[in-house]
Amino acid sequence: MSLLLNQPSKLCLGKPVLVRSSPLGSDSFSSSLQQTPPCAIISVSPCPYADEIGNLNIKNANEHFVTHVEKDVPTEFTSILKYFRFGILGTIGSAHGWVATPLEDGRVRLQDDLNPAASYTDPKHICLPPLVTLPYCQTQLVTNVSMSSSSPEEEDCVVAIKFFGPQLSLCRPAAQSNSEWINIRIANPCFFSSRVMFSKRDGMFHIPGSGGHLIGSWDLEEHKDHPKIQTLRFHNLAELTISKLEILHSCSTSEHLVESQTTGETFLIKWYRKTTRSFLDMPKMKTEALMVFKLDEEGNAVYTKDIGDLVIFLSRAEPFCVPASFFPGMYPNRVEIIDVDELGSVNLATGTVSTKNSTHMAPYYIPPQNIEH
């Protein structure tokens, strides 16, 4: 499903229309194009032969070891990945393998240098217009970045940046000289710290409210200033012991929406994390539990321990899910997680959390991509 963009300098999201097969859909996997498995960016190691170039280190989701990719990457990313460990974000988000980095002149640049499937010899850098800050808002702290299609070079692609606070900004990079940010002020404070995702099924940007009881949906027609608000009704809730409830109540909770392009299902994930101390006595976040709810169009949120063949990937990039059977070595019915503090997975059937310290890792998962080189 796609955005309808009728004017060169304005964004117009109308009723979604089918314009291409999804990059994660079954049609794309049946093609003869070779695709990379989902992967996590581990680090950029300096190249001994060039001061300004580094090489990419990744971990494929269907492997247990780190792969060294002989791809030239600007060494600026070496510093960026270090900044993640100390809370200074040199990037502001990632979607579909494109990393967004802020520039000194107030603009944002999308680049595919960290995407192992992108061209080795011709990396793409796309500059977006200067950000415009709405009154009584801020554009320095970002929750995440979302895109309506797999590449910002596509004519109908819209990039969304969700800031901490009331501002949501959208722009169409392909408009080039006519490109501009369309800034939306969100009224309900429950959405201020939440993340945005794009629904191909609905053709709208969705944001879950804090606590997961509401989902706000925005487009640039009737739902620009008056978003569509859906109230969720939770069913089949897990029976938890008092001690388990006490642990969850002590956790920091975040809500994430993910949509399967192969099954058409939408899931709400509640991610429970707790602050612990590392061996250097530095605070770090550790996953205590995940709860997954399957959503329907009527607003029913049914707790489930079974998402079938799917694997969900949670990171600071836009969440996504893929069938495990498409990539030998991946385990179904799991949630793979990565952040600045940990890397691991959650077995939904048993609830088992298996994570480890992820020192020096970048918190981005990259979805499957067609190999261009």
Side-chain angles (χ1 to χ4, degrees):
M1 314 304 264
S2 175
L3 299 177
L4 297 177
L5 302 172
N6 299 321
Q7 301 298 327
S9 62
K10 297 293 183 181
L11 306 181
C12 178
L13 286 79
K15 294 182 179 180
V17 295
L18 186 63
V19 296
R20 67 178 62 82
S21 59
S22 164
L24 294 182
S26 58
D27 290 343
S28 65
F29 282 97
S30 64
S31 71
S32 59
L33 293 175
Q34 184 180 3
Q35 289 200 328
T36 61
C39 70
I41 303 301
I42 301 299
S43 64
V44 176
S45 57
C47 177
Y49 310 108
D51 293 336
E52 298 180 355
I53 296 297
N55 293 138
L56 194 61
N57 299 309
I58 66 172
K59 181 186 177 297
N60 290 322
N62 59 344
E63 298 173 345
H64 298 287
F65 51 85
V66 175
T67 299
H68 180 73
V69 180
E70 293 290 342
K71 178 182 181 181
D72 293 343
V73 177
T75 51
E76 64 185 78
F77 282 105
T78 304
S79 299
I80 286 174
L81 301 193
K82 289 180 180 178
Y83 289 158
F84 272 112
R85 292 298 307 162
F86 298 100
I88 306 171
L89 296 187
T91 65
I92 61 173
S94 174
H96 297 280
W98 291 80
V99 174
T101 57
L103 302 178
E104 292 182 356
D105 60 2
R107 294 183 299 166
V108 172
R109 181 175 63 197
L110 297 174
Q111 51 197 103
D112 65 356
D113 300 82
L114 295 183
N115 187 343
S119 172
Y120 282 23
T121 58
D122 186 25
K124 298 174 181 178
H125 293 180
I126 298 175
C127 284
L128 304 180
L131 292 169
V132 176
T133 306
L134 292 174
Y136 307 106
C137 296
Q138 63 82 33
T139 53
Q140 300 299 312
L141 299 177
V142 176
T143 59
N144 75 305
V145 175
S146 173
M147 296 198 319
S148 65
S149 59
S150 59
S151 171
E153 295 181 308
E154 295 183 13
E155 182 180 357
D156 63 343
C157 179
V158 172
V159 176
I161 301 181
K162 172 64 177 64
F163 301 95
F164 282 100
Q167 183 164 333
L168 171 67
S169 297
L170 300 93
C171 128
R172 183 165 70 98
Q176 297 179 357
S177 61
N178 293 325
S179 179
E180 63 181 3
W181 288 104
I182 305 299
N183 298 305
I184 298 173
R185 180 186 296 275
I186 300 173
N188 193 328
C190 80
F191 300 112
F192 285 3
S193 62
S194 301
R195 297 163 60 91
V196 62
M197 63 84 73
F198 182 77
S199 168
K200 289 184 177 293
R201 182 188 66 187
D202 301 331
M204 301 178 72
F205 287 97
H206 295 333
I207 301 178
S210 178
H213 295 281
L214 296 177
I215 295 178
S217 301
W218 283 261
D219 61 23
L220 294 175
E221 292 184 335
E222 60 178 316
H223 297 298
K224 175 185 174 183
D225 299 316
H226 304 284
K228 178 181 177 182
I229 302 295
Q230 184 180 49
T231 300
L232 298 184
R233 298 176 296 276
F234 290 89
H235 303 277
N236 194 33
L237 293 176
E239 294 185 3
L240 303 175
T241 63
I242 294 179
S243 60
K244 185 66 173 180
L245 284 172
E246 290 176 347
I247 292 175
L248 296 185
H249 287 161
S250 68
C251 289
S252 171
T253 308
S254 59
E255 290 76 29
H256 307 262
L257 290 171
V258 62
E259 187 176 85
S260 169
Q261 302 305 310
T262 54
T263 67
E265 297 171 301
T266 301
F267 300 98
L268 171 72
I269 301 99
K270 289 194 173 188
W271 190 359
Y272 296 89
R273 307 179 76 199
K274 196 170 185 178
T275 303
T276 61
R277 293 283 176 175
S278 68
F279 68 97
L280 295 177
D281 201 35
M282 294 182 63
K284 59 185 290 292
M285 298 296 288
K286 182 180 184 301
T287 298
E288 293 290 337
L290 280 173
M291 298 183 72
V292 177
F293 299 85
K294 182 178 176 181
L295 308 183
D296 65 18
E297 295 182 358
E298 285 71 42
N300 296 303
V302 181
Y303 172 70
T304 182
K305 293 184 176 182
D306 184 7
I307 58 173
D309 187 41
L310 295 176
V311 182
I312 295 173
F313 291 83
L314 283 185
S315 67
R316 295 201 182 185
E318 189 170 15
F320 62 92
C321 59
V322 299
S325 58
F326 288 168
F327 300 98
M330 282 176 50
Y331 297 98
N333 199 35
R334 302 208 177 193
V335 178
E336 300 289 335
I337 55 178
I338 185 175
D339 204 347
V340 294
D341 295 315
E342 63 178 345
L343 170 71
S345 65
V346 178
N347 184 325
L348 294 180
T350 63
T352 304
V353 178
S354 303
T355 62
K356 61 181 180 180
N357 190 355
S358 62
T359 305
H360 304 307
M361 290 186 177
Y364 292 147
Y365 267 119
I366 293 180
Q369 307 273 317
N370 290 334
I371 297 177
E372 299 180 8
H373 51 271

